[in-house]
Amino acid sequence: MKFTSVFDIIGPVMIGPSSSHTAGAARIGRVARDLFGRQPKWVKIHLYGSFAETYRGHGTDVAIVGGLLDYDTDDERIKTSFAEAEKAGLQFEFIPETANRAHPNTARLVMGDDESEMSVEGISIGGGKIEISEVNGFKLRLTGGMPAILVVHDDRAGCIANVANCLAMHKVNIGHMEVSRIERGLTALMVIEIDQNIDERILSQISYIPHITKVSKINN
Amino acid sequence: MDVLFRNVRELVERAENEGKLISELMIEQEMIISGRSREEIFTQMDRNLRVMEEAVERGLKGVQSVTGLTGGDAVLIQNYIATGKSLAGDLLLDAVSKAVATNEVNAAMGTICATPTAGSAGVVPGTLFAVQNKLNPTREQMIRYLFTSGAFGFIVANNASISGAEGGCQAEVGSASAMAAAAIVEMAGGTAQQSSEAFAITLKNVLGLVCDPVAGLVEVPCVKRNAMGASNSIVAADMALAGVTSRIPCDEVIGAMYRIGQSMSTNLKETARGGLAATPTGKAITHAIFEGGDLKSLLKSRVSSN
């Protein structure tokens, strides 16, 4: 089931005018920021389908930038996010695409700073609800409705068990988990939905496990 | 995932077998899924209700969207009601004006509560605050109205769609109207089965409704479609309470809505490439807003030429 809570239907409380194009867009921006781990310095925002056709009218542009500045769906500053982004040193560019994606409301955010780069693709499935469909080329399905951690690692035996053990040691319960890899023996990605938000300390412990290259989290 | 209901048939059966209101089943399911207490869930819904009240209040004072394309109609309708000359009747027009008020606030990038979406956010609160004057519900009953709406919206979202880009306006204002109709029936003391009849009757009436926002904005025709949605739900609720039933069962209507949405051209699903958006005036408005034309005189000339 894509929609689990009554508040997916009666809610969110948000700045208008569109739940999928404004609130959903803000959430995609915010989750992308979470996954990047900090505010990026620059971002290229590729828009597909209905997002590409109507983003200006729906405030999709200000909403995504607002999300990247960590604003929630009901934050009044969404309206002035372009000016806020300039103050915060975030450069952005919108690129409407003509290609078709699997979902009509899709945004792909390629972002970075002096240290690293990351790409995150999100879809807005209606009523403000979103899913993250791709991170750094890895296909995945992440709703953003649960706290989650993403672990990029070498595709070696024991990696998954080590991460699971580390979470178990801190009494963090795993609700759902997916592992995907682009090619056998190369890089893989673990997407782990967990029952509660975890702090930086646990995140940093996971990052020290052998063959783990990057760890990011989504709080909820 | 463990849920109490996946479709309307299961929802109604459970309500009848356990002697519970639909709103109660929605609350119980939310408790199971979120692990939160009844009180926490009520508090959050109460907060959403307050956002709806504030939006209507703001809209009834008169708002204007950034483009100037919409705003002020809720006030006109209220003034008209006050003349005592309304043909539709005070309750119906009150719902219409409050639905319009909410959606005008939405178009003006104000704070609203999506029900189920922002483009359709006027219908559920508009009808709620209008029938409130007639039925005198307690605060708890008003909150339950939102849970009942939510139960039906939950089923539509998981079995069809509540997104204009996926299913057209039938999935947005259509779903909202049907959700509201079901909730009105419960508040008026009707049965769970009657709620489902009201839902089916309402949704049937808007099957095939396209999403064709002029200039891609959630303004034209969205604001006035919320008015249509609100009146549609009140009439359907009355019909169901009178004992009228839908020949096509509720879940099958939802299925039909989904398939219709799938077979509609993308030009008619929130791309602003077809329907009203593609009319000469629709295109002129788009040009005026995004390419520096004069929207004010455009709107004025249209008014004078009619």
Side-chain angles (χ1 to χ4, degrees), chain A residues 67-85:
Chain A
L68 284 161
L69 294 169
D70 208 22
Y71 300 166
D72 206 348
T73 55
D74 63 346
D75 196 315
E76 296 263 349
R77 290 174 297 176
I78 282 178
K79 286 183 266 189
T80 53
S81 69
F82 284 4
E84 305 284 346

Side-chain angles (χ1 to χ4, degrees), chain A residues 23-92:
Chain A
R27 283 180 166 167
I28 290 172
R30 200 171 189 208
V31 169
R33 176 197 168 107
D34 273 354
L35 290 172
F36 189 64
R38 57 196 177 275
Q39 188 196 286
K41 275 195 172 163
W42 57 266
V43 56
K44 289 183 195 301
I45 302 159
H46 301 263
L47 299 171
Y48 298 87
S50 173
F51 267 6
E53 301 278 351
T54 64
Y55 71 98
R56 290 182 298 185
H58 281 116
T60 306
D61 44 7
V62 287
I64 291 182
V65 170
L68 284 161
L69 294 169
D70 208 22
Y71 300 166
D72 206 348
T73 55
D74 63 346
D75 196 315
E76 296 263 349
R77 290 174 297 176
I78 282 178
K79 286 183 266 189
T80 53
S81 69
F82 284 4
E84 305 284 346
E86 200 180 332
K87 274 190 259 170
L90 168 67
Q91 289 182 326
F92 56 88

